[in-house]
Amino acid sequence: MEFIPVSKLSHRKYKALTKTVQIMKLTVLLLLTACLQVGARGYSQGKITISTKDEALDKVLKEITKQSGYYFWSGSNLPELSQKVEVHIKDATIQEAMTQCLRGSTLTYTISDKMVFIKKVELPQTPQKQEQFTGKGIDVKGRVTNEQGEPIPGATITLKGTNVVIASNDKGEFTLKDIDPEQIVVISSVGFEAQSLKFGGKNTFIVVLKQKVGMLDETMVIGYGTTTQRFSVGAVSKVTSEEIESQPVTNPLAALEGRVPGLVVTQSSGVPGASFQVQIRGQNTLNPNVGQGVYPDNPLFIIDGVPFAPQNANINQFTSLIGPQPLPGGQGQYNNPYGGLSPFNSINPADIESVEVLRDADATSIYGSRGANGVVLITTRKGKVGKTKLGINAYTGENMITHAMPMMNRQQYLRMRYEAIENDGDSLSDPNLYAPDLLQFDTTKYTDWKQKFIGGTAHSVDINTSVSGGTVNTTFLIGAGYHNENTIFPGDFSEKRGSVNMNLHHSSTDRHLSLDFSANYSYDQNNSSGSPSILSAFTLPPDYPSLIDGKGNLVWNYNGFDLGNSYGNPLAYLKNKYLAQTYNLISHFQISYQVLTGLTLRSSFGYNTLDGHELSETPLASQDPAQYPISSSNFGTNNFQTWIIEPQAEYKKTIGRGKADVLLGGTFQQNTNALTQISGSNYTNDALLGSVSAAGSTNASDGYTLTKYNGFFGRLNYIFDSRFIISLNGRRDGSSRFGPGKQFGDFGSIGGGWIFSEESYIKNNFHFFSFGKLKVSYGTTGSNSVLDYQYIPRWSTTTYSYQGTRGYEPVNLYNPDFSWAVNRKLDGGIELGFLKDRILISANWFRNRCGNQLISYPLPIQTGFYSVTQNFPALVQNTGWEIQLVSTNIKTKHFTWNSSYNITIPNNKLISFAGLSSSPYFGTYMVGRSLNFIQGFKLLGVNDTTGVYEFLSAKGIPTYTPSQPNGSSSGDYQVLGNRDPRFYGGLNNAFNFRGLELTVFIQYSKQLGLNYLGQIGTPGSQSNEPNALLSRWQNPGDKTDIAKFTQSSGSSAFTGWNDLPISSGAYSDASFVRLKTLSLSYILSGRYMSNVSIESCRIYISAQNLFTITRYKGNDPETQNFNGVPPLKTIAIGLKFTF
Amino acid sequence: MKNKYNAFFLKEIHIISIWLPLSCLSIITTLSCTKFVKIPSPPNQLVTATVFADSLDANAAILGIYINMMPTSRLFTSGGITIYTGLSSDELFYNTGNSDESQFYSNSISPISNGANDQLWVSAYELIYQTNACIEGLNASNGLSVSLKKQLVGEALFIRAFLYFNLTNIYGSVPLVTSTDYKINAVLPRASSAAIYMQIDGDLNIAQSFLPQNYGTTGNFRPNQFAATSLLARVYLYQRNWDSAEIASSRVINSGNYNLVPILNDVFLAGSNEGIWQLVPVFPGLETTEGYYFVPSNVFVVPKYTIGPYLLNTFESGDQRRVDWIDSNVVNGVSYYYPYKYKLGYDGNSSPIENYMVLRLAEQYLIRAEAEANGAAGGSNAAIGDLNVVRNRAGLPNYLGSTSPDSVLNSIYHERKVELFCEWGHRWFDLKRTSQINAVLGTEKVGWEADAALYPIPSAEIQLNPYLTQNDGYEN
């Protein structure tokens, strides 16, 4: 190992430094040589010594690279690089060296990180020469910096209208003497956006230039650091604040739909506040708990470095319009098993600077035990150096249902009922016939219940303000937001959010010490109904009696028929007040100190608490007096907390032509979740339902979990000659979710990239080709997504008492032996840039294999419980292609057209499953097929003679009564396909013409889905049905796909309708192309705005879910839910000011 | 310049000397820090060992069983058996439009889509687990007195036997689970009815010897020795073991602890002297679940469940039970009759006025009568005597029919029908065990099929345990 001594240091200090540096080098080198056959040559801290005459400039630059580790970027081959230069420097800094090298040439340079960009000076340079200003001029001292406050040397300062051009020095400083205060000055530098300004009367000035970067060099946030697309070997996608801002949505997850390859975001309901399911690169885990509210394989969510305490778990404990709580072991009410109140309602989308979605092993294995299902990093906005800016953005919008199937009207309904009774050979006079809708109700009365309950329009208002700015040392941002949205249901329901956020950054003048602090606080309030039954109220018979009487009281008894015994009174549910309040605080503090050049120690501290409070009231007024009404109220609190401390050390070093970046760190994290439920009943007055103490009797229960994580991680990233990249990640992780001896696991990844466009052969021969990279990564990540304490046998107290004493009941089956699920991820990709990166294409292929499945293994109830937590040796594979294309189609002075397109073609497969046929999964899963495969009877159609659904038996024989699976026989079940999307993605087009901007975002998905036929009751019984069913079979010879109406459970037609939901008839194409976002905005011109001191003003109109093209049979192909509320269409109009 | 640099460098060295060891330390501790990820058990829960460590806790574990037997919904031990078998037999009709109930009524229960049947099965096995967990925990405990341990084990065994008795009478062969080991239990196939009866017999005999003769301070809300004996008497009866049935029921009748409450309206009150075992409703303000579902809360509505003609018309004239235990609402001129043994639904009382009667003395008289009529000690004459005890209490004169065993037996069957109607499935079970079911329901129910005598095993359970099989007639 070669080492050039730093001669100017005294012997003692030199020794100490040498030792430290040597140790570091040694560490780095050991790590490196283990994986990379590169002859690394070490150099000291960038001191350059060159003495040469008549040497070509590019040769000199190569020598500088060799000595300093800075390397050069000139974009294209400049002829000036071959000019001969004379340089004599000793122990010079890079700036000194560059100034010498470029002296007298027409080239200029800028330094960013360890890159030196060389470019031709566009104007004839006459440095340090200045024409005299004849009037009374002023002297100006200025400093040019980037947004981070770092100086920009070599920036050009041009006095407009003159040919005066000067350059800033090493510290970014410049001096102008005797200039006209009204003189327009243009300051520019390579890689930055030029800025023109007047100095006015000021004598000292800081000019902050905004970095102008191509997509390839934009900063991307990754685990414990940042990178750029150019040098990343991981699969990371970024959603920017602009993309989020263009969508009038409440929940940040909604803004991600269709925008990221490999990411599927699905809305559970159109009711405001409802949850979103998120999956990255498919389902990895067997999911026996369908219907128990646990959506499998949510990614890890991290907000500003703090793992979001509730993650993507629903935070409600009680049922509401949003969150029907599934019945134990059942399929969940209203076909919405994952419905609930989303914790992300607490995050204001306007506070978000970017969302990065990490997918492959290289990007996720540093998260060890929790990276198996990908990672979503949310970064909030930060202040920028510059004058203090006030921003205000406000919009108001209207929301309504996109599409809902029209229902039968009164005549159609009655015809259906009479026809069904006739078909069944029954008679209205039969005393055993249960038909209150025909016998008791007034059949001449008609109400359109659909229109009445979900036909309304909701309004939303959203206001965001922020103040930001700062000096080179300190930047800040303070913001506040308010959002209010009511619902399409009649009644006073709403979703409200108020939030404040703050971001502070400070760095010492020498830039060695830096402090970052951020805090977000929000209050979210969801008013809704405590009973979701209103969701299916539109299926009431059209002749159902009026729900309220003349005095406004609920009607329960219609001519002796007790409505409460069957359909109930949906309007009652509007009296079931439900209120959820969520308080969320996320704060993060990071201190970092650069102890040596290249070595930074830092520690971050994060805290997040999300406190949910719920109140669900059941007043007497909402109940049938004939059903023993009991006034009751449920009070719930649900608190999630996370604290995290992560000490880290990062060492950056140039070795030869390579740059190494080593990160070591540790994680100490603790999550708690504490919940209480108090149920009060027997109130004397409905008005007191909000009070616990007014309850005649109360019962309480609580829950508590504590999870601790402890990890140690490291990363080594080495970029050689801007061409080769190698990246190693490792983590040892411990989790308290596992029993003694099972707590720790090791995870790691290796990734490599080759930027082949840097090879001179390609550079010289393919000029249209501006960027090309091949990359590959492989590694492991873990998943610990099970409940806490599953390895201990536990008992809890019962809710009620027996003879005054509380009892105990067992809580779980315990298993001391389970541990991590391991996901092995392989990823390969190619990234190409054409025409100076105007077209960027990236294609990724991935293969994730999740073995040692950690699951809630389903058990027959004869074991006492529905499941036990255990590892299972099934192997699930997700493979797929992710392709992304970004292009600037047209770019003229006044018109630009940018497009971006992404497509994902996923494939999910169960690779192996030992003993499947004798396991509870038999029939649920099949080796070689997707986890989401569907099986059921094969529907042959409606027999045109009998009008009854006919199915194909397993042997291919038509039958009316196919047999269900029984034991290890699969009966007449056959494979019908799978519900995974075949492909999905999005297409964005943005047009800009003189400040008028149009953004069109289209989301699409090709998939098979559950249609309405699988979700309706038997047509002919006492609930209303979609009028699409009118094409039913009526007479022999009728050819149709709707069987005859029936209402008697004994009829063969009824059996057919019963089998339909478990047959191919319930599934059909649910592909869709949706105009997800349409946004039109106009920036009012700056000139006349500046008169009222407005820097910019944008007026816009945005629409979400404007229309959907689909052949789906049902309400909405995304939610595929007949009873719920489909995603809403929103049209908003707004204004955005910056002062 | 140089000095400044040096000074700064010194500072750096200083900081390194603090930071480096610190980070090294944290890294090392991290690597070996299993301590950090050790967590205490949750504050609101106990681990099994502590639950059975002392008498208070162990007692609470048993109380947990009773509490879970008394949910507010219609489950295995909270009205489910009464209501659903009442619909399946010839006692009840439903007015709820509920499709599960329609299936019970029309004897066409779907193994796939009948949530009520699923929950019946589920709630039974959840309770069985709880009894098994208690039996294992108690047996392993060293912190309990012998007498308490015996009593608590006796209670758990008794309840387990009671659950299996009902399970096997509803479903036939069912998995016989007697431990908490899920690895074994998850794949248990169905045990024959005989094997289950053997287990019940064994459990009850141990319970009989373990349980105290007296209720102690608790009253009949927890079983004593005679509760075990009463259930044994029923089990012997069902197994046609007439002699043993007679001996067991005589033990109960002769104990002197119980007597038939003369006023019919008082039979189901809390602490009724006729009650051998009663369960206390636990939901605040709610009386029994059956009362809640049977008794409409006002007179204007059609009750949820109405008594059908086959039960209504079977009462002899003058039978006070027809008057006191059945009531009606008249809606639009039509009378709807409903069971009125329990008279209260929700009343907000902190301690219930009525308790849920599980075992009562009248049944013991009828068991003994039937055993005697079938040839056990005492014979037909004794049988008529026992029959008359029950008849007289209902305001009916002595039995005056023939003393031939068949005739007496038929009267006893009839008496069971009117005495024990809408109670714990007696009618449904009697029809089956006396082999009358096809004859009776064949004429009373449209499309009756013999296979409907057993309910289907929920398909979901068969799916989860491939060793389970379905009852005949339910393959689809």
Side-chain angles (χ1 to χ4, degrees), chain A residues 138 440 700 702 742 954 1075 1139:
Chain A
I138 51 162
Q440 269 106 340
D702 56 12
K742 304 277 176 189
L1075 180 56
F1139 298 96

Side-chain angles (χ1 to χ4, degrees), chain A residues 712-832:
Chain A
F712 164 65
F713 54 85
R715 173 166 60 211
L716 166 67
N717 189 280
Y718 183 74
I719 303 172
F720 178 73
D721 200 20
S722 299
R723 282 188 294 152
F724 298 104
I725 309 150
I726 185 139
S727 169
L728 301 173
N729 288 286
R731 181 158 177 141
R732 180 167 174 78
D733 225 4
S735 161
S736 64
R737 285 193 170 155
F738 303 109
K742 304 277 176 189
Q743 290 161 326
F744 281 85
D746 298 310
F747 309 92
S749 74
I750 177 165
W754 174 37
I755 305 180
F756 56 86
S757 54
E758 285 298 298
E759 300 293 340
S760 52
Y761 175 77
I762 293 180
K763 245 181 174 170
N764 297 336
N765 293 298
F766 304 96
H767 292 295
F768 62 96
F769 191 60
S770 50
F771 180 69
K773 181 172 74 180
L774 284 171
K775 59 178 189 178
V776 64
S777 73
Y778 179 77
T780 58
T781 48
S783 167
N784 72 342
S785 55
V786 286
L787 299 172
D788 295 275
Y789 308 115
Q790 292 304 310
Y791 56 92
I792 324 175
R794 289 163 297 133
W795 294 63
S796 71
T797 51
T798 54
T799 310
Y800 304 114
S801 319
Y802 199 74
Q803 294 279 282
T805 309
R806 291 271 188 118
Y808 294 144
E809 59 189 352
V811 175
N812 66 324
L813 290 171
Y814 86 106
N815 171 11
D817 296 326
F818 60 87
S819 192
W820 316 102
V822 177
N823 198 341
R824 291 170 208 284
K825 301 179 178 177
L826 174 64
D827 190 292
I830 182 165
E831 287 169 19
L832 301 172

